[in-house]
Amino acid sequence: MTIRLLIALVTLLGPGMVQAQETYPTRPITVVVPFPPGGIADLTARPLAPALERVLKQPVVVANKAGAAGAVGMQSVAIAKPDGYTLLIGLVSISIIPEVDALFARTPAYTRDQFVGIARLNADPPILVVGVETPWKSVKELVDDLKKRPGEVTYSSSGVYGASHVPMEMFLHAAGGLRMRHLPTTGGAPAMTAVLGGHAAMWASPPAVASPHLKAGKIRALATWGATRLAAFPDVPTMKELGHDVEYYLWAGLFAPKGVPTSVVKALRDATRQAVQDPEFRNAMEKVHTPIAHLGGDEFSAWWERDAQKLAGVIKRIGRIESK
Amino acid sequence: MVETLQNLHLGFSIALTPSVLLYAFAGCVIGTLVGMLPGVGPLAGISLLLPATFGLNATTAIVLLAGIYYGAMYGGSTTSILMRIPGEAASVMTCIDGYEMTKKGRAGPALAIAAVGSYIAGTLSVVGLMFLAPPLASFALRFGPPEYSALLILGLLVLAYMSSGSMPKALVMAALGLLLGMIGIDTMTGFFRFHYGLVELGDGIGVVPVAVGLFGISEILLTAGQPVPPAVHKPRLRELLPSRQEWRDSAAPIGRGTILGFLIGIIPGSAHIISSFVSYALERRLSKRPERFGHGAVEGVAGPESANNSATSGAFVPMLALGVPSGPIPAVMMAAMMVHGISPGPLLIKQQPELFWGFIASMYVGNVVLLILNLPLVGLFVNLLRIPYPFLYPAILAFCVLGVYAVNQSVVDIWIMTAMGALGYLLRKFDFETAPIVLGLVLAPMLEMSFRQSLAMSSGSYAIFFNRPIAATMLFVAVALMLLSLRPLISRGKDWRRSVGLEEKRALREENP
Amino acid sequence: MFTSDRIAGSALVLLAVVTAWETRRLPLGTLHNPGPAYMPLLLALILGSLGLVVALRGGGSPALGALRWPEAGHAVAILAGCAFAALTLERLGYRLTVFVVLAFLLGFVERKRPAVVAAVALGLSFSSYFLFSNLLRVPLPRGPWGL
């Protein structure tokens, strides 16, 4: 205890600050997961933490700070001290929430430029899955049927403006402005349950959630939103192959608040590059059917910017869901 | 059948090796410790300790996690009984009669009944899980939003049997709870209701800070400043165990609670929370002397505790048989299993029977270990009450702050707990009951969402509630129950006078405890 | 005249009126497509009418003046302790905050001997931090000097 106190005192003195930066990290790092335990952000963060620990030689603690579809945790990191000891695991929704706030003319919980991207960790396109009792065997049959019966078929999602509402909206728009009923739920599991129970006909599911049900033959896959086919499902065509020009990914990335010293950003980017090679981390991600798709440094920042611009357009098109 | 037994034997042969048993034991100890923190239940316990299991093999890891799960479930009921602090929404009903028993010096029996009830419910529901999982799971899937709405409306009727005081006062508290449940982002449209600039209110007011505030903090506020501090009970060994009468009284509630909880638990969604409320109401309705409820009736501990435990096991049915987690606890358990290479779902039982049966066996083992661990601990826990209240309550307060904060790492939750403590104090001074607020808060978001989801599915037609057989049946039952409960209101009179007399007596007792 | 039920019932009616007024900013929707304000408004109406029933039937309840508040002083002090914890937990860290709250309650409110107060407050705040943060890895905030 006294030793720690001494170290802390030394750190507080002027020259100590410089030294602390050079040898970052000198104390435990907290990775905030803005969602409850059990989701993909949590499942990415938990095995990432020990992998980062092995590289950085300091404890990495995961803290779930859930609320408001992730806005609470993201806001807390956005305003945290930019010293590199508070990091964030963000999902694709990090780009969506500020747009929704703007749509409702609310004070934004945070803005995208309050974050620095460290690295993208994984990126999977969702799969359009339909219940086994539904008649459609291909996207073409589905589109033809939806044209005949506008507004009569229901799709479920993990929530309004959520990560699985947005791709459906993109698809329906690209296929010629089709209309469907929307059944928003509170997460991936209830959205999938609605399709399995026949209460909704389809949804844009993450491959990890769909995988066991596809293998058991409880649902059918019609297409994915990726640029190329998924390695795990080589038979499922992409929307682009089928003539619908949409591309969308569910991704997770590591972020730091803006203002973190460049040396610390570099240290974190290097550490993450090493951590994604960690066999235990890779193994854990394989087991939850979400393979690592690392994209580091400035490449990630540029990619994130393009992705966010695209999503902003979709949110504006959906508009406010008033009583129509 | 024979095959099942062979498989079970296989499962046990894995789960009963000494090293695996050691992990089960460790899991139960850790789980009980974590579960004693208000708010930090099985959910946080499992996810916090998940990384620690990465190095273990799948079976050991699952046994350890099952131990943590059962330990945390049980740890919550300990604080409910001893200190009137509900660890989660489901323990609110245990607080009421459990804490009254503690005040009468019957803390030992209450804890023992809770432990035995949880053990029986846990074991029986694992048996149910084993034999009935596939058929029950496909039935559970037919529960869509309309059926859910009907179930929750039935759940609301429970209120009628929940309170021992005046009916309008109980109903107005429920309305207050329902209204509190409206805070937050509207699931259907994304509008943010009643936020007053606080992002933290996005998912609504958390049930944990409300329950801890209304029950735990308000109790401290009422007791700490009494001119005469509450008497310290020195438990004698004889008083640690339930009397023969208490065993007899608890047997039927444990059985009913187990079945009820299991049935409610298998329905996908978060309906399992209401199982303890429903069980309490059921026991009160069936009791020959309902007036004892709220004043330390052992049935009021036995029923809800069993229902709560078997509901969470029941919630594993959709997860194991279908691969869809219902509610947060199965979601975390499923994630933990997936990290260890077990993917629950229709193929698990067929393709990897050793893992499925290993899991079932580890649940049995976890249950037994917990019972062996906790019955002797009852004596230790009861001795906590020897600490004089001026020392005990600051410590309880510190643990409430710690637990409430740890759930979401949120200071706003501590503020909510503080405000709810003050509200609970005032309400109890004015002779209102606070349990209906918690039930309302739990039900409101689920009820509103499933109701509006149903209308979204049917494009605004109310026929959806009557076309579907399960929903229609439940609504019919609800209407019938409502009419039945209205009957005494119409032929009031004598009854009414007596209830007023009862209230006055209660008020007097509150003043001079 | 001013019985406890009448006062409480009226307060609840007032709360219902305020809530109903607050819902005006949200779209109400229709019976067949209820909007975000529909259920809150409905519940506010129910709360208001039930509050009215409580107030009207509350003539027989004890008078407000008959309520005794012997514990109110302690209650306010304890609530102040909670509020202090909420304000400082993320600034001073878990250990310092809990130490101050315990010292305040034991020393100032309960008038225990200083040595006892210091021992209990110090022991409890550090041992609970050690148990939950170090051993069980519950993330708890740290304050200045790494405390």
Side-chain angles (χ1 to χ4, degrees):
Chain A
M1 199 60 240
T2 39
I3 295 172
R4 205 188 281 174
L5 205 72
L6 275 176
I7 294 174
L9 279 174
V10 171
T11 326
L12 273 178
L13 300 169
M17 293 296 267
V18 180
Q19 202 168 11
Q21 275 180 16
E22 278 170 10
T23 56
Y24 169 87
T26 53
R27 55 188 172 89
I29 297 168
T30 305
V31 176
V32 173
V33 172
F35 302 97
I40 191 61
D42 190 56
L43 285 180
T44 307
R46 300 265 166 205
L48 174 67
L52 275 177
E53 247 174 53
R54 281 188 279 272
V55 181
L56 293 170
K57 309 278 184 277
Q58 277 290 337
V60 179
V61 185
V62 177
N64 295 86
K65 203 171 163 70
V72 173
M74 294 194 232
Q75 186 194 44
S76 78
V77 177
I79 59 173
K81 204 165 156 206
D83 53 6
Y85 292 98
T86 311
L87 306 177
L88 172 82
I89 292 281
L91 302 183
V92 59
S93 53
I94 194 172
S95 318
I96 298 178
I97 288 172
E99 297 301 326
V100 177
D101 280 339
L103 187 68
F104 284 95
R106 294 196 280 253
T107 324
Y110 66 88
T111 52
R112 264 191 330 112
D113 57 20
Q114 283 177 288
F115 293 106
V116 183
I118 303 293
R120 190 187 73 187
L121 297 165
N122 51 49
D124 274 329
I127 308 178
L128 180 63
V129 295
V130 298
V132 269
E133 284 124 37
T134 59
W136 319 290
K137 302 280 187 288
S138 69
V139 172
K140 188 175 177 310
E141 286 177 31
L142 172 67
V143 170
D144 289 345
D145 197 24
L146 288 178
K147 276 184 185 149
K148 269 183 244 145
R149 310 188 280 152
E152 282 184 38
V153 181
T154 311
Y155 73 94
S156 59
S157 78
S158 57
V160 275
Y161 309 111
S164 63
H165 180 194
V166 168
M168 276 311 284
E169 181 62 33
M170 288 166 81
F171 161 62
L172 294 176
H173 181 77
L178 301 175
R179 282 205 301 121
M180 290 184 78
R181 290 180 194 169
H182 179 202
L183 177 70
T185 67
T186 51
M192 178 57 95
T193 312
V195 172
L196 288 174
H199 310 293
M202 68 194 77
W203 82 293
S205 169
V209 177
S211 173
H213 305 290
L214 281 171
K215 284 186 188 135
K218 304 281 179 192
I219 47 173
R220 278 195 306 272
L222 296 188
T224 82
W225 270 261
T228 53
R229 294 189 179 199
L230 276 163
F233 300 98
D235 298 338
V236 182
T238 66
M239 286 283 184
K240 284 196 164 168
E241 285 174 45
L242 300 170
H244 304 294
D245 187 23
V246 286
E247 197 181 331
Y248 175 84
Y249 296 94
L250 302 160
W251 54 269
L254 187 64
F255 297 87
K258 181 139 199 135
V260 171
T262 16
S263 61
V264 173
V265 171
K266 189 174 174 307
L268 279 169
R269 284 180 171 169
D270 290 345
T272 315
R273 205 180 298 277
Q274 283 181 49
V276 294
Q277 298 302 330
D278 186 288
E280 218 171 272
F281 179 43
R282 294 196 82 88
N283 193 10
M285 293 316 289
E286 289 296 332
K287 278 185 179 151
V288 294
H289 307 290
T290 311
I292 291 170
H294 177 259
L295 192 65
D298 295 330
E299 277 172 69
F300 170 51
S301 307
W303 182 87
W304 182 30
E305 184 60 36
R306 280 200 309 278
D307 191 59
Q309 293 298 341
K310 190 168 66 188
L311 298 181
V314 181
I315 297 298
K316 288 203 184 79
R317 198 165 63 225
I318 298 174
R320 278 199 205 193
I321 304 168
E322 306 264 356
S323 309
K324 318 185 214 195
Chain B
M1 187 71 199
V2 176
E3 203 188 343
T4 307
L5 288 178
Q6 274 172 353
N7 283 325
L8 194 61
H9 180 253
L10 172 75
F12 272 115
S13 63
I14 300 166
L16 284 178
T17 51
S19 65
V20 176
L21 270 180
L22 191 70
Y23 277 103
F25 194 77
C28 285
V29 174
I30 297 171
T32 310
L33 274 176
V34 176
M36 301 255 293
L37 272 188
V40 183
L43 184 64
I46 293 171
S47 52
L48 286 172
L49 296 156
L50 181 58
T53 68
F54 284 160
L56 306 172
N57 71 40
T59 317
T60 324
I62 295 301
V63 168
L64 180 69
L65 291 171
I68 294 174
Y69 163 76
Y70 279 113
M73 293 277 297
Y74 180 76
S77 57
T78 309
T79 51
S80 308
I81 290 171
L82 292 180
M83 291 148 196
R84 207 173 191 264
I85 298 170
E88 44 169 349
S91 335
V92 160
M93 298 321 285
T94 313
C95 280
I96 297 178
D97 281 278
Y99 187 69
E100 287 301 323
M101 285 180 75
T102 297
K103 280 213 275 195
K104 289 180 180 163
R106 304 295 292 160
L111 287 171
I113 291 280
V116 171
S118 299
Y119 166 74
I120 293 175
T123 309
L124 286 184
S125 56
V126 175
V127 174
L129 190 66
M130 199 163 77
F131 290 106
L132 302 172
L136 277 182
S138 51
F139 172 76
L141 267 186
R142 292 169 60 195
F143 257 78
E147 288 77 19
Y148 218 71
S149 311
L151 177 77
L152 295 172
I153 289 172
L154 257 177
L156 261 181
L157 287 177
V158 158
L159 281 167
Y161 302 114
M162 224 168 78
S163 74
S164 44
S166 99
M167 182 72 97
K169 285 175 96 169
L171 290 179
V172 82
M173 285 298 102
L176 182 64
L178 287 164
L179 202 52
L180 282 175
M182 291 291 107
I183 295 171
I185 295 174
D186 175 25
T187 330
M188 301 300 287
T189 60
F191 276 92
F192 201 158
R193 302 185 290 203
F194 313 115
H195 58 89
Y196 305 106
L198 283 173
V199 196
E200 282 83 353
L201 293 180
D203 286 347
I205 291 193
V207 178
V208 167
V210 172
V212 171
L214 282 179
F215 281 80
I217 304 292
S218 77
E219 180 65 28
I220 294 178
L221 297 179
L222 280 171
T223 317
Q226 294 297 340
V228 185
V232 177
H233 289 289
K234 303 243 161 61
R236 282 184 292 270
L237 192 65
R238 187 165 46 82
E239 285 174 359
L240 285 180
L241 291 175
S243 65
R244 192 166 295 188
Q245 181 63 36
E246 279 166 330
W247 283 122
R248 247 200 312 272
D249 286 344
S250 316
I254 290 176
R256 282 191 290 264
T258 304
I259 296 169
L260 184 84
F262 191 72
L263 290 179
I264 295 180
I266 57 171
I267 298 163
S270 298
H272 58 89
I273 302 178
I274 67 171
S275 64
S276 60
F277 292 92
V278 176
S279 166
Y280 187 87
L282 181 76
E283 292 314 325
R284 190 161 181 275
R285 183 78 185 84
L286 292 178
S287 172
K288 289 193 188 73
R289 289 178 296 153
E291 69 281 357
R292 283 168 50 248
F293 279 73
H295 305 289
V298 71
E299 302 96 308
V301 176
E305 270 301 305
S306 318
N308 178 23
N309 229 20
S310 84
T312 17
S313 305
F316 284 124
V317 168
M319 178 194 101
L320 284 173
L322 302 168
V324 281
S326 60
I329 294 173
V332 152
M333 205 64 185
M334 181 163 153
M337 290 173 84
M338 284 175 76
V339 167
H340 286 101
I342 306 167
S343 47
L347 297 178
L348 178 69
I349 307 178
K350 276 185 219 134
Q351 289 181 349
Q352 295 169 296
E354 71 286 358
L355 286 175
F356 175 79
W357 294 104
F359 178 72
I360 295 280
S362 66
M363 286 177 77
Y364 274 120
V365 171
N367 248 319
V368 176
V369 169
L370 189 71
L371 189 72
I372 296 171
L373 182 74
N374 273 311
L375 278 184
L377 281 184
V378 166
L380 184 75
F381 286 140
V382 167
N383 276 305
L384 283 179
L385 298 173
R386 282 173 188 261
I387 303 172
Y389 205 70
F391 284 101
L392 190 60
Y393 85 79
I396 297 178
L397 202 68
F399 282 112
C400 286
V401 168
L402 167 59
V404 165
Y405 176 81
V407 179
N408 266 334
Q409 307 284 310
S410 163
V411 171
V412 175
D413 281 351
I414 303 181
W415 283 116
I416 295 175
M417 176 190 86
T418 310
M420 287 296 149
L423 179 71
Y425 170 69
L426 284 179
L427 286 174
R428 285 172 71 188
K429 275 297 210 187
F430 280 88
D431 200 23
F432 283 89
E433 285 173 61
T434 48
I437 301 185
V438 181
L439 181 66
L441 180 67
V442 167
L443 284 181
M446 295 199 274
L447 182 61
E448 188 199 20
M449 187 178 70
S450 60
F451 184 69
R452 285 167 68 194
Q453 278 178 334
S454 310
L455 290 178
M457 283 168 70
S458 69
S459 207
S461 164
Y462 280 79
I464 192 167
F465 296 107
F466 306 105
N467 290 342
R468 301 169 57 123
I470 304 177
T473 314
M474 283 194 295
L475 282 177
F476 177 77
V477 173
V479 171
L481 279 178
M482 195 136 54
L483 289 178
L484 275 178
S485 67
L486 279 182
R487 205 178 48 183
L489 276 184
I490 297 162
S491 58
R492 230 172 39 204
K494 219 156 87 181
D495 203 12
W496 174 76
R497 270 169 222 276
R498 205 177 61 204
S499 79
V500 170
L502 194 82
E503 277 167 45
E504 272 166 8
K505 236 182 287 161
R506 276 172 54 87
L508 279 173
R509 204 177 34 247
E510 296 258 343
E511 269 172 49
N512 322 307
Chain C
M1 184 56 205
F2 289 112
T3 65
S4 62
D5 275 10
R6 282 192 177 157
I7 298 293
S10 316
L12 289 165
V13 172
L14 189 70
L15 177 71
V17 171
V18 172
T19 316
W21 173 248
E22 286 284 308
T23 60
R24 75 194 185 282
R25 291 184 221 154
L26 302 165
L28 185 60
T30 61
L31 181 63
H32 291 284
N33 188 0
Y38 203 87
M39 187 110 158
L41 185 63
L42 195 70
L43 286 171
L45 293 178
I46 295 176
L47 179 70
S49 29
L50 284 170
L52 208 60
V53 172
V54 170
L56 290 179
R57 282 185 45 179
S61 65
L64 192 63
L67 284 182
R68 295 277 168 269
W69 305 82
E71 71 289 317
H74 271 71
V76 171
I78 293 166
L79 285 173
C82 288
F84 175 81
L87 279 175
T88 59
L89 190 65
E90 287 190 339
R91 296 193 178 90
L92 293 183
Y94 172 80
R95 279 170 288 194
L96 279 182
T97 305
V98 169
F99 174 78
V100 173
V101 171
L102 288 176
F104 166 72
L105 288 176
L106 288 171
F108 183 74
V109 181
E110 297 296 336
R111 308 266 171 210
K112 299 289 167 197
R113 276 183 290 129
V116 178
V117 171
V120 172
L122 209 63
L124 208 61
S125 56
F126 278 78
S127 64
S128 62
Y129 183 88
F130 179 75
L131 176 62
F132 290 105
S133 183
N134 295 21
L135 292 184
L136 298 175
R137 308 205 76 172
V138 177
L140 292 174
R142 291 151 155 272
W145 314 297
L147 275 173

